[in-house]
């Protein structure tokens, strides 16, 4: 089978040997939703996978924002609680190409909690399958970080925290972010200082402004400002989610290696134990579980 | 005398009758620091005030970011605690024009609290002078909101919360802000809903993302998203500052009428009593107090 994780800014395709789970080939590009108009999806998908498909006999499963209203075709989000079987039972055929299936996202719509997710639900189910368990808390850092709770094979709750996107907005579009416009290497001391400011008097919007006052008067160098801001925001994310989930002691941290590094420091500082899983492996395991159920229908 | 409030994006000049305090004339423009190069300040100032100055005999007092390193000339920030007399004793002559004085800003530099202010300190002293008191908490909303505490004529503490700038960054540079790119009228119901989300599980970075999920699934209209985001951020500012200052029951709210409207709703919802003062009046009263002391030297 072919597994495609197709998000707002990235396209990642994997040719997988279903029997062994091995990845036989893979392709990546920056042709996410932002780069394509709606009519281009089938053509782009075919151009990237035709030589893998044996005339269309190899099925394709798509996960991520590709299933949103502004993607290839909408796969309506399922309301929690949701199992991997529910996702399999609600895959939607992608128009324009044969044997191409879109995995739906999930949502929570309650007066006190409204939230949406597309793609990370597959990774959360995959991470738990890889660990041989059906319950646990998952942290999926990113543009919009997701914290998902699974219990006995069902996703029962999740919360989105817009850490990555806010980091970008602050760095490139505010005065405190000005010294960090240029890329600098990760500075662990500045990152840890940022973490230590989360939850202090004045809250996160004051802590972000400290990037400016500490740059002016407390020795925070221009090259450290980006890491400080990142520490403030990731520190606030972890602080808020720890407060929201009393008793949380272990999370499965699902992400690319670069993001896992900073989240590992922040989670560790908060006394939360981590079981780290690469996001590609989680995607592949999650789609494999869904595809196996879908194939049996 | 002439009072000029010269900030990052605005220039506001007032010709004041010192005896009565009456404003005889005023001028405003968008020629703030962003619009001018360093060498242009004396020329621009002269062009806006020459007909008021009687050949330079009328003194000019400047407050705001004009005294920063990237303004006309740096007036070093004074460390708290600071009185109006300290500000008067440390005004700096502006080079290039006679009888033009820059009021310094203030700062706090402690391991656990580093913060900077330029311009609002004048307004805080002015607001208290207008109220006939020398102690109290002031809230000065804006791009970088300031919460200042004065005690027996001394400013003893302040905290910056970057509410206004973060609102702009979220509205124009994130996915949840997308429906709010165009200007919409203030929507009180959406603003109050935003306020109610501050301090909820997941924190402010989750509440901001709700602008998206509620727009998709809970009836938040595109035209309401801006007011919702504003409610989340102002609600979080008030929540955090209330938590930072236990026992806070009254604030002097110093700002333009448009900003005071939304802050009045947020402060009121938090059970904080308000004494509202227009920011121009506060600036004029503050500079008058400083100029009177400076004139006696």
């Amino acid at each position: 089978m072919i597994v495609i994780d197709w998000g707002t800014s990235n396209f990642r395709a994997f040719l997988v040997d279903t029997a062994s789970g091995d990845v036989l080939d893979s392709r990546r590009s920056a042709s996410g939703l932002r780069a394509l108009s709606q009519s281009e999806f089938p053509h782009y998908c075919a151009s990237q996978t035709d030589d893998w498909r044996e005339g269309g006999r190899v099925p394709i499963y798509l996960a991520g924002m590709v299933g949103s209203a502004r993607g290839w075709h909408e796969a309506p989000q399922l309301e929690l609680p949701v199992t991997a079987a529910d996702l399999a039972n609600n895959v939607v055929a992608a128009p324009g190409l044969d044997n191409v299936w879109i995995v739906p996202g999930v949502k929570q719509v309650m007066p006190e909690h409204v939230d949406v997710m597309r793609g990370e639900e597959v990774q959360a189910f995959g991470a738990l399958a890889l660990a041989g368990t059906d319950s646990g808390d998952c942290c999926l850092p990113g543009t919009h970080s997701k914290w998902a709770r699974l219990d006995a094979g069902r996703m029962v709750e999740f919360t989105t925290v817009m850490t990555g996107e806010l980091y970008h907005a602050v760095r490139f579009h505010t005065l405190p972010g000005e010294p960090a416009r240029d890329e600098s290497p990760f500075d662990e001391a500045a990152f840890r200082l940022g973490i230590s400011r989360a939850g202090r008097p004045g809250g996160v919007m004051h802590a972000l402004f400290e990037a400016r006052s500490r740059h002016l008067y407390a020795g925070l160098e221009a090259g450290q400002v980006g890491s400080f801001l990142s520490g403030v925001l990731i520190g606030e994310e972890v602080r808020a989610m720890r407060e929201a989930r009393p008793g949380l002691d272990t999370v499965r941290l699902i992400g690319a290696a670069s993001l896992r590094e900073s989240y590992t420091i922040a989670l560790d500082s908060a006394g939360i134990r981590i079981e780290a899983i690469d996001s590609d492996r989680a995607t592949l395991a999650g789609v494999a579980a869904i595809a196996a159920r879908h194939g049996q229908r």
Side-chain angles (χ1 to χ4, degrees), chain A residues 119-242:
Chain A
E120 296 88 350
E121 67 291 338
V122 170
Q123 297 179 328
F125 282 113
L128 266 62
L130 286 171
T133 177
D134 62 2
S135 300
D137 284 280
C138 299
C139 167
L140 303 109
T143 303
H144 301 146
S145 293
K146 308 287 180 181
W147 289 64
R149 172 160 282 180
L150 285 87
D151 182 44
R154 305 175 316 152
M155 183 177 292
V156 292
E157 197 268 318
F158 71 93
T159 298
T160 304
V161 188
M162 55 181 281
T163 312
E165 195 170 33
L166 210 58
Y167 171 71
H168 195 275
V170 169
R171 187 175 152 201
F172 290 102
H173 303 287
T174 73
L175 183 66
E178 222 171 70
R181 297 281 199 269
D182 296 325
E183 191 77 47
S184 291
F186 179 69
D187 185 299
E188 188 174 327
F191 182 78
R192 285 185 183 274
L193 179 64
I195 290 176
S196 78
R197 308 314 298 159
R200 305 308 297 256
V204 64
M205 291 196 290
H206 167 65
L208 290 171
F209 187 77
E210 283 198 9
R212 176 162 172 78
S213 18
R214 287 181 181 268
H215 178 52
L216 287 173
Y217 291 116
L220 188 70
E221 305 288 339
Q224 297 183 300
V225 168
S227 295
F228 176 83
L229 290 171
S230 174
V232 166
L233 292 170
I234 294 175
E236 166 65 13
E237 174 184 340
V238 171
R239 184 205 66 74
M241 290 311 303
R242 194 157 175 256

Side-chain angles (χ1 to χ4, degrees), chain A residues 8-293:
Chain A
T8 305
S9 31
N10 287 292
F11 171 94
R12 299 182 296 172
F14 305 87
L15 176 62
V16 180
D17 178 76
T18 319
S20 68
D22 291 345
V23 174
L24 306 175
D25 200 357
S26 70
R27 278 169 196 152
R28 281 152 204 270
S29 82
S31 291
L33 269 64
R34 279 213 195 91
L36 297 173
S37 69
Q38 206 138 22
S39 63
E40 292 175 300
F41 286 94
H43 174 74
Y44 186 80
C45 181
S47 76
Q48 297 298 303
T49 57
D50 262 359
D51 58 324
W52 289 348
R53 297 203 69 197
E54 301 171 13
R57 283 190 298 124
V58 177
I60 300 181
Y61 288 91
L62 306 171
M65 289 295 284
V66 65
S68 71
R70 66 171 68 185
W72 182 339
H73 183 76
E74 186 167 5
Q77 285 164 310
L78 308 183
E79 178 110 27
L80 293 197
V82 162
T83 62
D86 293 330
L87 293 175
N89 292 336
N90 287 279
V91 300
V92 169
L97 275 187
D98 281 343
N99 207 7
V100 179
W101 308 95
I102 305 178
V103 179
V106 300
K107 65 182 176 184
Q108 271 195 289
V109 182
M110 301 181 300
E112 285 302 303
H113 191 135
V114 187
D115 216 329
V116 291
M117 186 191 284
R118 277 198 191 274
E120 296 88 350
E121 67 291 338
V122 170
Q123 297 179 328
F125 282 113
L128 266 62
L130 286 171
T133 177
D134 62 2
S135 300
D137 284 280
C138 299
C139 167
L140 303 109
T143 303
H144 301 146
S145 293
K146 308 287 180 181
W147 289 64
R149 172 160 282 180
L150 285 87
D151 182 44
R154 305 175 316 152
M155 183 177 292
V156 292
E157 197 268 318
F158 71 93
T159 298
T160 304
V161 188
M162 55 181 281
T163 312
E165 195 170 33
L166 210 58
Y167 171 71
H168 195 275
V170 169
R171 187 175 152 201
F172 290 102
H173 303 287
T174 73
L175 183 66
E178 222 171 70
R181 297 281 199 269
D182 296 325
E183 191 77 47
S184 291
F186 179 69
D187 185 299
E188 188 174 327
F191 182 78
R192 285 185 183 274
L193 179 64
I195 290 176
S196 78
R197 308 314 298 159
R200 305 308 297 256
V204 64
M205 291 196 290
H206 167 65
L208 290 171
F209 187 77
E210 283 198 9
R212 176 162 172 78
S213 18
R214 287 181 181 268
H215 178 52
L216 287 173
Y217 291 116
L220 188 70
E221 305 288 339
Q224 297 183 300
V225 168
S227 295
F228 176 83
L229 290 171
S230 174
V232 166
L233 292 170
I234 294 175
E236 166 65 13
E237 174 184 340
V238 171
R239 184 205 66 74
M241 290 311 303
R242 194 157 175 256
E243 190 177 279
R245 298 190 175 172
L248 181 68
D249 62 359
T250 306
V251 297
R252 285 171 209 283
L253 176 62
I254 306 168
S258 57
L259 268 180
R260 291 205 310 267
E261 181 186 354
S262 45
Y263 273 80
T264 296
I265 296 173
L267 289 163
D268 208 52
S269 303
I272 299 176
R273 279 188 304 148
I274 298 154
E275 299 185 13
I277 297 155
D278 180 72
S279 45
D280 283 350
R281 284 192 65 217
T283 299
L284 293 171
V287 173
I290 292 162
R293 286 183 176 88

